[in-house]
Amino acid sequence: MHRIHRPVSRVLAAGALSLALLSAGTAGSFAAQAKPSPAPSSAKPKPSPSKSTMSSISVKTNKTAVKAGDKVIFTGRTQGLKIGTPLVLQHENHGKWVPLRASVKVKNGSAYALTSKINTKGTEHLRIAAGKTHSPTVTVKVN
């Protein structure tokens, strides 16, 4: 009877071990599925700031109406631009921004002052630009 007993006990032990491993694997699988998934966030991801959104230029003019050939002074401050960065006066021409021959560099304190003669009669839409960074548009009427 010892000879029959050994194979039976081995089969029973192997079966019990298999059942234990199978149960543990199934339980682990259920445990993995039982983890709560993170709730969807209603907050929109923030876009990473680009160089153009980190810098800005403000602008003011000393006159909003001039005669053709008169000088207009554009003043303002920059933020996020290095001292010495070139600033260019641009005007809108048929929907495109075209640089004019007036330029200046950012001074200590991030300020600038640019003087330009405006010769074209009509309403001029102007801005100050440094690369992809630009000021809001200002309007000057030229008679």
Side-chain angles (χ1 to χ4, degrees), residues 2-61:
H2 280 294
R3 291 184 182 177
I4 297 176
H5 190 294
R6 281 186 192 172
V8 170
S9 59
R10 285 183 189 162
V11 169
L12 287 176
L17 181 60
S18 297
L19 183 60
L21 290 173
L22 182 61
S23 297
T26 307
S29 140
F30 283 127
Q33 291 176 0
K35 287 183 184 178
S37 61
S41 174
S42 61
K44 294 180 182 177
K46 294 180 182 179
S48 59
S50 67
K51 194 171 187 177
S52 63
T53 59
M54 294 188 313
S55 55
S56 64
I57 304 171
S58 68
V59 66
K60 290 184 211 174
T61 61

Side-chain angles (χ1 to χ4, degrees), residues 56-66 71-78 87 89 104 110-116 118 124 126-129 134-140:
S56 64
I57 304 171
S58 68
V59 66
K60 290 184 211 174
T61 61
N62 66 331
K63 300 175 185 175
T64 56
V66 296
K71 291 182 180 180
V72 177
I73 301 171
F74 299 87
T75 58
R77 292 197 174 275
T78 64
L87 301 173
L89 179 64
V104 70
S110 300
Y112 71 90
L114 184 145
T115 303
S116 179
I118 302 184
E124 284 286 335
L126 303 154
R127 71 182 186 182
I128 305 296
H134 56 83
S135 70
T137 304
V138 291
T139 304
V140 176

